[in-house]
Amino acid sequence: MIKGISLSKGVSIGKVYLLDSSKFCIIKQKLDPENVDNEINRFRQAIEKSKAQMQEIKQRASKVANKYAVILDTYSLLLEDEVIVNDTIENIRNNKLNAEWALTETLKKFNKLFNNMNDDYLKGKQDDLDLVVHGIIRNLIGHSQEKLSEIDEPVVLVSHTLSPSDTIAMPKNLVLGMATEVGGKTSHVAIFASALGIPLVSGVRDLTAKVNTGELIIIDAIDGHVIINPSEEQLKHYRKKQENYHNYEEKLLENIHQPAKTLDGKHVKLMANIESLDELKSLRKFGAEGIGLYRTEFLYLMAKTLPTENELYDNFKKVAQGMGSSPVVIRTLDIGMDKNLKGMEGEPENNPALGLRGIRLSLSDPGLFIHQLKAILRASLYGDIRILYPMISSVEEFVEANELLQKAKDDLKKQQIPFNENIPVGAMVETPAAAICIEHLLEVADFISVGTNDLIQYLLAVDRTNESVASLYQPFHPAVLKVLKEIFKAGRDSGKEVSICGEMGGDPLATVVLLGLGNQGELSMEAHSIPKVKKIIRKISLEEANQLADHALTLTSTEEINHFILSEMQARFPSDFDRDTTFEEKFQPLINNTH
Ligand code: PEP
Ligand code: MG
């Protein structure tokens, strides 16, 4: 049993599909003996391709500077290196491994050798080798990466991490569960997994080295465990656990069409965050009252070329029609940081989280932005569509974005294309600057949606995607609670709607605190979380929530606040928060009660 952290609850049991996407999607595969020669040929062809590419780069480079072309000779020499080539071929032949995996192992071996050297010059060659090997792998992967979309049986995905484009490529209905070596609570893969209800355990060290494609694996994303090649007894235990959890979730759905009203009658609207049209089907099932955040960047990441205005329009229209008269908040493109568009990578940034992302990128490419705005405006005739700008850090930015919106409206008028002239436009509050200037922002925006994922990252100066500082990423940090309180207060004073659409909004542990801090209008979350959050809201009064939040605000350390909130929630909702009892003890009484 290996320990990790559970990022999307549930239990899955199935065959491993191993990817190594630390740099690329590398699948470890055992070959049938008759395919070994073909694999060696494939490897040789990839090397030939790399040599040709290197020649081409060299020609272009020599036009710029001869010195650079000389450096490239080193790379060409490495491609000729018999030791690297032979070592890999031997590994393919003897261990019947696919070329990508065998070559990665050769690279690891050489890196170890380099690390033990004292010669700085030779150590410098390590980077060259790395670059050359990854060039070859890229050529090999041209073939194997597509395999991800070709998964044709139910599997459990195991990988170092998953990029947004990986998650888009995979056939979601065939992914039973996922386990990754890295990834925090607000990483894309966690959001993706909980949106689709796929159990996910992350932070499992060296997992990719411990499993092979085809082996049986259990993902226990209730307690954060991974079990490779389980025994019959373990299988029996976890099948029961899986069934129990399933029943527990079904039970939560029983009250799903009741309003999320507190005991003293305050109705909190529970909305869904979505990333694609596929999710629309499940929204009613979970009782979503609308879409509070449509992350549109995945429409762009999915396409090979930029989507046309008509394609975007068709998509937005389907969402609007699918939701009837319920609100649909469409967030404009939030590319940057961990989500990059092919062909739009721009200059590499030292601090992508602080770089050209969100609204900054849209303002720097007005053509792209107006294109999207026109598609949203056109779709606004078909439902209650609203626009949301991401990563706003000043009033000027919001105003500038609105000027481009006006231009989009003028263009449509000229083309005599109808749209909703009064479409509401909101700002995401996810930078400290936006939070501090909330009153000013509320003067220009029609509504506010708090993106706690980024707000916490920027307030606490903790990269939300960095495993090594994951323990510092604390939603209940006193600074976060204080800032949220101010935002909700400003919202109430202005009379404008303030909602939360970051992961904190869907964390049942945070539901009561957020109510008490003043978030009483709307919460938007992965649809899967709605039943649990609703259950909590229906069993608490505003007065009780206020008391809890007021006390939390008096505490000075995150540890104290975490402890206080957890114990309060455990006392009120033992079956949902009691982490000390075993799963069976926790869920069995609840399930028995249903029969
Ligand atoms: C957020 O930052 O809280 C948010 C909802 O946006 P994203 O997770 O897409 O950055
Ligand atoms: Mg964000």
Side-chain angles (χ1 to χ4, degrees):
M1 184 187 290
I2 320 172
K3 186 104 194 83
I5 40 166
S6 154
L7 295 183
S8 169
K9 292 235 180 294
V11 178
S12 62
I13 304 171
K15 276 203 243 162
V16 169
Y17 190 91
L18 181 61
L19 297 171
D20 179 353
S21 30
S22 47
K23 286 193 172 104
F24 304 99
C25 269
I26 300 172
I27 307 160
K28 183 181 180 184
Q29 280 171 323
K30 272 273 182 201
L31 301 173
D32 290 333
E34 65 270 22
N35 292 334
V36 167
D37 284 340
N38 276 349
E39 193 65 5
I40 293 173
N41 268 342
R42 198 168 73 85
F43 175 60
R44 289 198 192 279
Q45 278 166 14
I47 291 189
E48 288 312 312
K49 203 168 167 188
S50 284
K51 282 184 191 166
Q53 287 160 339
M54 210 55 90
Q55 274 311 319
E56 203 204 308
I57 299 172
K58 200 179 143 188
Q59 268 169 14
R60 271 190 275 149
S62 56
K63 287 188 192 128
V64 185
N66 255 333
K67 211 165 134 201
Y68 182 52
V70 173
I71 299 173
L72 289 171
D73 279 335
T74 321
Y75 298 157
S76 299
L77 282 176
L78 282 168
L79 281 168
E80 304 283 351
D81 190 306
E82 283 296 300
V83 186
I84 296 170
V85 176
N86 290 346
D87 191 274
T88 307
I89 291 179
E90 247 171 60
N91 201 359
I92 299 176
R93 200 185 302 283
N94 297 346
N95 299 316
K96 301 193 180 41
L97 283 172
N98 56 322
E100 293 90 332
W101 199 270
L103 181 59
T104 314
E105 291 199 333
T106 306
L107 177 66
K108 277 189 196 151
K109 216 190 274 179
F110 275 83
N111 276 341
K112 229 181 191 168
L113 275 177
F114 278 121
N115 286 338
N116 291 333
M117 278 176 191
N118 282 328
D119 185 323
D120 279 349
Y121 173 76
L122 281 177
K123 269 196 170 165
K125 292 279 152 244
Q126 188 169 359
D127 292 342
D128 297 342
L129 179 64
D130 230 75
L131 203 138
V132 167
V133 166
H134 284 114
I136 306 170
I137 291 178
R138 203 173 293 126
N139 289 333
L140 284 165
I141 273 175
H143 155 82
S144 61
Q145 200 166 27
E146 269 142 37
K147 289 260 164 73
L148 193 59
S149 57
E150 286 167 13
I151 295 177
D152 58 1
E153 57 171 353
V155 292
V156 172
L157 267 188
V158 173
S159 75
H160 176 69
T161 182
L162 283 167
S163 70
S165 20
D166 293 334
T167 52
I168 284 160
M170 68 175 71
K172 293 139 188 88
N173 51 339
L174 293 177
V175 179
L176 303 169
M178 303 197 282
T180 62
E181 293 177 342
V182 299
K185 208 172 165 137
T186 66
S187 63
H188 170 71
V189 60
I191 293 173
F192 167 84
S194 50
L196 296 177
I198 301 176
L200 163 69
V201 172
S202 282
V204 192
R205 273 178 198 277
D206 299 328
L207 181 62
T208 55
K210 291 179 180 145
V211 287
N212 283 309
T213 295
E215 284 178 330
L216 199 60
I217 194 168
I218 297 173
I219 307 293
D220 170 5
I222 291 166
D223 291 314
H225 293 141
V226 168
I227 298 111
I228 305 164
N229 290 325
S231 65
E232 268 311 310
E233 206 178 313
Q234 283 173 314
L235 270 176
K236 209 171 133 206
H237 172 82
Y238 283 99
R239 284 205 180 107
K240 185 77 198 147
K241 190 164 180 169
Q242 188 177 38
E243 187 191 324
N244 287 350
Y245 191 72
H246 179 75
N247 292 342
Y248 165 73
E249 285 207 310
E250 290 290 305
K251 166 121 182 78
L252 278 177
L253 289 178
E254 277 173 12
N255 285 332
I256 205 59
H257 294 294
Q258 310 269 13
K261 246 187 205 165
T262 58
L263 292 174
D264 36 8
K266 179 78 204 164
H267 179 194
V268 182
K269 261 193 174 170
L270 300 185
M271 316 275 280
N273 291 352
I274 65 161
E275 295 181 348
S276 76
L277 279 179
D278 302 342
E279 291 167 67
L280 281 187
K281 297 187 281 293
S282 61
L283 300 192
R284 295 279 173 226
K285 170 180 165 201
F286 292 115
E289 293 172 76
I291 293 172
L293 174 68
Y294 181 12
R295 291 182 162 101
T296 58
E297 44 281 7
F298 295 95
L299 278 174
Y300 290 74
L301 290 165
M302 232 173 338
K304 289 213 165 63
T305 52
L306 286 179
T308 63
E309 182 187 312
N310 273 340
E311 282 165 350
L312 292 171
Y313 161 66
D314 279 344
N315 183 287
F316 300 151
K317 183 176 157 186
K318 279 189 190 132
V319 178
Q321 287 174 328
M323 294 309 290
S325 58
S326 309
V328 175
V329 177
I330 302 184
R331 179 174 76 180
T332 59
L333 195 55
D334 187 15
I335 285 292
M337 206 182 135
D338 62 335
K339 294 169 269 188
N340 283 308
L341 222 52
K342 278 202 185 74
M344 260 191 73
E345 287 96 351
E347 287 297 306
E349 296 179 310
N350 282 339
N351 283 308
L354 306 182
L356 194 60
R357 65 167 293 206
I359 197 69
R360 302 170 183 180
L361 188 105
S362 292
L363 294 178
S364 76
D365 191 341
L368 181 85
F369 190 44
I370 289 181
H371 199 70
Q372 189 181 27
L373 291 173
K374 281 170 78 176
I376 303 176
L377 286 168
R378 285 169 60 192
S380 66
L381 283 187
Y382 298 90
D384 181 2
I385 287 193
R386 303 161 190 199
I387 297 175
L388 181 63
Y389 300 144
M391 278 295 291
I392 290 288
S393 54
S394 69
V395 169
E396 296 95 296
E397 255 172 1
F398 188 88
V399 171
E400 203 183 326
N402 266 353
E403 281 164 9
L404 292 172
L405 177 64
Q406 189 54 49
K407 181 154 181 350
K409 288 182 177 176
D410 293 345
D411 282 358
L412 288 178
K413 275 187 206 155
K414 258 188 236 144
Q415 295 169 267
Q416 297 189 322
I417 299 175
F419 60 90
N420 171 15
E421 179 78 60
N422 298 318
I423 191 164
V425 188
M428 282 198 78
V429 170
E430 44 187 351
T431 64
I436 293 166
C437 296
I438 186 71
E439 279 101 350
H440 300 322
L441 206 48
L442 278 159
E443 281 169 23
V444 287
D446 296 321
F447 65 96
I448 292 290
S449 189
V450 186
T452 48
N453 302 342
D454 278 312
L455 185 60
I456 296 169
Q457 142 164 288
Y458 295 124
L459 270 179
L460 305 184
V462 178
D463 180 349
R464 64 190 257 197
T465 62
N466 184 341
E467 265 287 298
S468 2
V469 288
S471 61
L472 296 176
Y473 188 94
Q474 294 286 352
F476 295 143
H477 189 293
V480 176
L481 300 189
K482 278 183 199 300
V483 166
L484 287 177
K485 189 177 165 76
E486 291 307 314
I487 296 172
F488 300 140
K489 182 178 176 303
R492 250 194 333 273
D493 293 349
S494 71
K496 293 193 176 164
E497 247 174 47
V498 173
S499 68
I500 293 196
C501 64
E503 296 314 289
M504 201 173 173
D507 181 355
L509 197 58
T511 306
V512 178
V513 193
L514 291 175
L515 262 180
L517 287 173
N519 178 259
Q520 292 152 16
E522 211 175 284
L523 289 170
S524 191
M525 61 197 78
E526 312 318 323
H528 232 80
S529 307
I530 292 178
K532 229 175 186 183
V533 170
K534 179 173 285 189
K535 174 181 170 187
I536 293 166
I537 292 176
R538 288 175 58 80
K539 291 200 168 153
I540 200 96
S541 69
L542 273 188
E543 198 185 330
E544 220 178 331
N546 287 341
Q547 278 171 7
L548 191 134
D550 284 349
H551 183 74
L553 283 166
T554 64
L555 303 173
T556 50
S557 77
T558 308
E559 202 187 328
E560 280 174 294
I561 302 177
N562 281 340
H563 181 262
F564 168 68
I565 291 175
L566 182 61
S567 56
E568 290 292 315
M569 295 304 280
Q570 280 177 337
R572 290 175 174 83
F573 305 93
S575 63
D576 302 278
F577 296 103
D578 197 346
R579 293 182 182 169
D580 296 328
T581 51
T582 65
F583 182 85
E584 278 72 14
E585 285 170 77
K586 202 186 314 182
F587 293 106
Q588 208 59 57
L590 197 91
I591 292 156
N592 289 341
N593 283 344
T594 70
H595 299 306

